[in-house]
Amino acid sequence: MPSASESKGASARSTRSDAVRNRQVLLDAAAEVFVASGVDAPIREIAARAGVGTGTVYRHFPTRADLVVAVYRHQVEACAEAGPALLADSASPFAALRAWTGLFVDFLVTKHGLADAMRADSGGFEALHAYFLDRLVPVCAQLLDAAADADEIGPGTRAYELMRGIGNLCAGSDDDPRYDPRRLVGLLLQGLRQAE
């Protein structure tokens, strides 16, 4: 039979793991809402998507900027971790690259509201941008190198340039509902394919 201190420790670990799980659910819900409705979406919409009350959202993220930054970091990590997993599980390196750019586009759609949400903290925005580049450029480079090694794309495409190009194609997607950046990113990727 566990001692009182062991039971207390197990209870504390369970509470911590519940808090981490609840935070992940909130971040996933917020990311989905931000993609669909932008970073100015009502907090109650995020809470409803996560299945919690608005108080729970504010307990984890006291300000909208806190929530937006947390979603940004969460999505950067998800994109970074997805690259190697997609390479391992996809039918080809190019298929992995295509799937990864889909995740990247979703991330960029969320990111567009970040500057406005962090208006007062330009240093914080710059630090996040550096974090974004440090985490994602190597992942994109790995995907490009694998596709080039498999002769699915021509050599020489640099990760930063591709990511910047995708970012430029995604700019303005929130201003015009007739504009579909995913279609144009698909055309850009097709342009990388090596001619038969």
Side-chain angles (χ1 to χ4, degrees):
M1 179 172 200
S3 69
S5 64
E6 289 173 334
S7 292
K8 206 181 268 188
S11 176
R13 278 191 300 279
S14 174
T15 301
R16 278 194 301 272
S17 65
D18 286 348
V20 168
R21 193 170 31 257
N22 289 343
R23 183 179 166 88
Q24 292 300 108
V25 167
L26 279 172
L27 290 172
D28 289 338
E32 290 172 17
V33 170
F34 288 167
V35 167
S37 306
V39 295
D40 293 324
I43 294 297
R44 68 181 173 280
E45 187 178 340
I46 294 165
R49 177 77 59 104
V52 300
T54 56
T56 300
V57 178
Y58 286 116
R59 196 166 31 260
H60 285 277
F61 309 103
T63 68
R64 181 175 298 274
D66 293 333
L67 177 60
V68 172
V69 167
V71 168
Y72 181 92
R73 286 182 162 277
H74 179 64
Q75 287 188 306
V76 167
E77 287 306 313
C79 273
E81 292 168 7
L86 288 166
L87 267 177
D89 297 338
S90 297
S92 70
F94 186 78
L97 177 64
R98 180 183 290 126
W100 187 82
T101 59
L103 295 173
F104 185 59
V105 167
D106 286 344
F107 164 73
L108 291 176
V109 170
T110 304
K111 178 180 175 279
H112 279 288
L114 182 68
D116 291 337
M118 295 189 66
R119 200 172 296 125
D121 186 10
S122 63
F125 182 80
E126 289 170 14
L128 277 177
H129 186 68
Y131 166 74
F132 158 81
L133 292 175
D134 289 347
R135 290 293 285 139
L136 296 185
V137 169
V139 173
C140 185
Q142 180 186 20
L143 290 161
L144 286 168
D145 289 346
D149 290 346
D151 291 326
E152 294 181 307
I153 65 171
T157 302
R158 295 192 310 225
Y160 178 78
E161 289 176 332
L162 178 62
M163 291 170 60
R164 180 88 188 249
I166 291 170
N168 288 340
L169 290 174
C170 289
S173 64
D174 45 359
D175 295 339
D176 186 349
R178 299 169 299 170
Y179 179 66
D180 180 9
R182 285 170 182 78
R183 192 178 82 74
L184 289 177
V185 169
L187 292 173
L188 173 64
L189 291 178
Q190 277 308 121
L192 294 178
R193 297 292 306 230
Q194 204 164 16
E196 303 271 337

